[in-house]
Amino acid sequence: VRKLIVGNWKMNPNSLVEARRLFNSVAKAAKRFQNVDVVLCPPFPYLAALRPAPSALLGAQDVFWEEKGAFTGEISPRMLKSSEVSYVIIGHSERRRHLGETDEMINKKVLAALKNGLRVILCVGETLSEKRRGQTKAVLRRQLQHDLASLRLAALKPSALIIAYEPIWAIGTGVPETPFSANEASRFIRKATGRIISPKVAKNIRILYGGSTNSRNIFGYLIMPELSGALVGGASLDAKDFTRMLEIANLL
Ligand code: 13P
């Protein structure tokens, strides 16, 4: 399976000039890396101003589930498509936490995005206290059951769904989950997803690890059998470090 490295810029950088510079420098460097898929997810205003390159595709950080109408502030799947966006992150823990996104809302977003031909990067993961109480698997199972409800992926390609395992306590903390444990959680995610949609499809979906990854630690995740890439936050804002990550992924 080709590795997939996704840069989630979150609410950065502060200007379109900087966004253009970052995007162009990554897209240019990525031309050298033919064995890795690269997706960059800038904030909405920049997303509309950037054009995807063959070496760096565009992803959104969120999407709304309705097609159009009176939904102030929201962005539809078709609007994303018309801005040449091909991927969308759904259910990031920061949206669950700060914006009150529920699994029910996330499910509607997943269904709407897939229906419109966007590739979905669904984020799941446990909090530190859930981990400490030994609830990681139960939390992942519950999130997947709700987030993927009513999904008929059997008719879709496995490439349409990507799941990112992002333990919340590892995001932006500099304390990543170990590659071994991330692999274990991903194995569980694949099994649980198989039960919800179809084992055949789940076998071939890509699972990413996210949480304090950088060019110094990414190798350990990419060699894990259940992992096909990474969802990168902070390090994706540093063109040099992110390019190094792509270089490493390209070798595997
Ligand atoms: P960091 O890489 O900054 O920990 O963020 C991970 C993340 O949330 C990506 O979506």
Side-chain angles (χ1 to χ4, degrees):
V1 194
R2 273 170 75 84
K3 300 287 186 245
L4 169 65
I5 307 292
V6 182
N8 175 11
W9 291 2
K10 306 191 180 180
M11 203 169 71
N12 300 288
N14 272 329
S15 70
L16 177 57
V17 173
E18 292 166 272
R20 278 223 167 89
R21 201 184 298 137
L22 181 57
F23 183 86
N24 291 338
S25 116
V26 171
K28 189 169 165 227
K31 281 188 202 158
R32 293 186 283 130
F33 310 133
Q34 300 290 322
N35 298 323
V36 56
D37 292 336
V38 182
V39 178
L40 297 177
C41 306
F44 284 128
Y46 308 152
L47 195 57
L50 296 168
R51 286 286 153 264
S55 61
L57 298 178
L58 284 174
Q61 297 175 17
D62 184 33
V63 67
F64 195 57
W65 57 81
E66 294 288 348
E67 301 279 326
K68 62 173 188 169
F71 303 102
T72 302
E74 293 302 331
I75 314 275
S76 74
R78 265 160 79 185
M79 291 174 189
L80 294 181
K81 293 286 282 186
S82 84
S83 292
E84 297 178 69
V85 170
S86 36
Y87 288 76
V88 59
I89 296 171
I90 297 180
H92 194 282
S93 61
E94 286 150 15
R95 297 200 57 83
R96 294 179 190 251
R97 179 161 156 238
H98 302 298
L99 282 303
E101 274 196 17
T102 62
D103 285 308
E104 194 191 359
M105 291 158 76
I106 290 162
N107 177 238
K108 287 197 224 174
K109 292 181 177 195
V110 169
L111 296 176
L114 288 174
K115 191 175 147 201
N116 284 281
L118 289 163
R119 289 183 174 188
V120 167
I121 303 165
L122 171 68
C123 300
V124 293
E126 82 287 358
T127 64
L128 188 56
S129 68
E130 287 164 342
K131 180 184 168 68
R132 284 192 176 135
R133 279 182 268 140
Q135 295 173 342
T136 299
K137 285 184 179 173
V139 168
L140 294 175
R141 188 188 300 115
R142 192 191 64 225
Q143 288 176 338
L144 292 166
Q145 268 168 354
H146 289 103
D147 299 348
L148 299 176
S150 319
L151 195 66
R152 294 282 162 268
L153 206 73
L156 290 170
K157 289 195 187 133
S159 56
L161 179 68
I162 295 128
I163 299 180
Y165 172 55
E166 295 211 313
I168 295 168
W169 51 271
I171 296 177
T173 57
V175 185
E177 178 56 285
T178 63
F180 180 80
S181 297
N183 189 65
E184 287 297 292
S186 302
R187 192 200 316 279
F188 178 79
I189 286 170
R190 195 179 299 285
K191 209 171 75 189
T193 302
R195 288 211 191 95
I196 300 161
I197 46 175
S198 99
K200 215 173 112 198
V201 175
K203 199 170 146 242
N204 294 312
I205 62 168
R206 292 193 279 192
I207 300 180
L208 313 179
Y209 168 71
S212 297
T213 54
N214 53 47
S215 63
R216 291 174 306 286
N217 63 22
I218 190 151
F219 180 80
Y221 300 96
L222 297 182
I223 56 171
M224 287 292 147
E226 294 291 337
L227 291 170
S228 309
L231 179 53
V232 185
S236 72
L237 298 171
D238 179 335
K240 250 173 118 180
D241 202 41
F242 192 66
T243 300
R244 244 178 255 134
M245 296 174 89
L246 302 181
E247 195 173 356
I248 294 165
N250 188 60
L251 294 171
L252 298 167

